[in-house]
Amino acid sequence: MTVGYAAGAFDLFHIGHLNILKHAKSECDHLIAGVVSDEMLRLTKGIDPVIPLAERLEIVRSIAYVDEAVAETVPDKLDMWRELRFDVFFKGDDWRGTEKGLRLEREFAAVGVEVVYFPYTMTTSSTQLRQALAALAG
C-alpha cells in the first residue's frame, strides 16, 4: 500500500487545493493531508490564517479524496515523515527547482520518499483571495 502526504495551509479552501488533493489521491492508496497549524503559518509564512486550524482540519477531513487529515505542527517535513511514514510527498510545482524544493527532494530521497509535483492552479490562490478580502474590508 502506497501512503501519500500532501501538506498545505488549506486556508480559504479553493479549487487549487482540491486539485492537489485529487491528483495526490490518484497517485497513492492512502492519502494523508497535513494541515499546517496557525503557529507554523505565522512562523514559516508570516501570515495569520483566516480560517482557524480546527475548522481547516474539518474541511480537509471531509474531502472525499482525503483518507486522513492531521495537524502539521512542526516546520520540518522530515519530522512529519518520522511520525507518519509516508512513501510519497506531494507538492505544487511552484516549489519545483527552488532552493526549498531541492532541499526537500534531497532530504526525502535519503529516507526513500519520492517527491511528486502537480501543476499549480494559476487561476486561484489563497494570496489572491486574501488580497480580495483585504480590499473589501479596506
Side-chain angles (χ1 to χ4, degrees):
M1 178 173 82
T2 303
V3 177
Y5 183 70
F10 301 111
D11 195 23
L12 302 171
F13 196 89
H14 57 74
I15 193 68
H17 296 136
L18 188 63
N19 286 341
I20 287 277
L21 295 171
K22 181 179 183 179
H23 292 316
K25 181 59 180 178
S26 73
E27 300 275 334
C28 65
D29 301 305
H30 184 83
L31 178 61
I32 304 169
V35 181
V36 179
S37 72
D38 300 358
E39 296 76 19
M40 285 299 103
L41 283 175
R42 285 184 203 102
L43 177 71
T44 60
K45 291 189 173 192
I47 61 169
D48 286 314
V50 175
I51 310 297
L53 176 62
E55 293 178 22
R56 291 184 285 125
L57 272 167
E58 187 61 28
I59 291 165
V60 171
R61 188 176 285 123
S62 299
I63 304 297
Y65 308 112
V66 175
D67 296 299
E68 186 180 348
V70 298
E72 190 174 282
T73 58
V74 292
D76 188 344
K77 303 293 186 214
L78 271 181
D79 287 337
M80 292 307 293
W81 174 80
R82 287 181 190 96
E83 180 183 331
L84 302 168
R85 298 297 176 162
F86 45 86
D87 306 297
V88 185
F89 180 79
F90 301 107
K91 197 68 187 154
D93 67 1
D94 54 321
W95 274 48
R96 187 192 307 266
T98 66
E99 182 182 327
K100 56 186 174 180
L102 293 170
R103 183 177 67 245
L104 198 66
E105 290 173 32
R106 283 191 305 274
E107 290 174 352
F108 276 144
V111 295
V113 172
E114 179 185 8
V115 176
V116 173
Y117 295 101
F118 294 122
Y120 184 77
T121 304
M122 298 304 286
T123 56
T124 301
S125 77
S126 296
T127 301
Q128 290 170 331
L129 291 172
R130 196 178 307 280
Q131 289 168 346
L133 286 173
L136 289 173

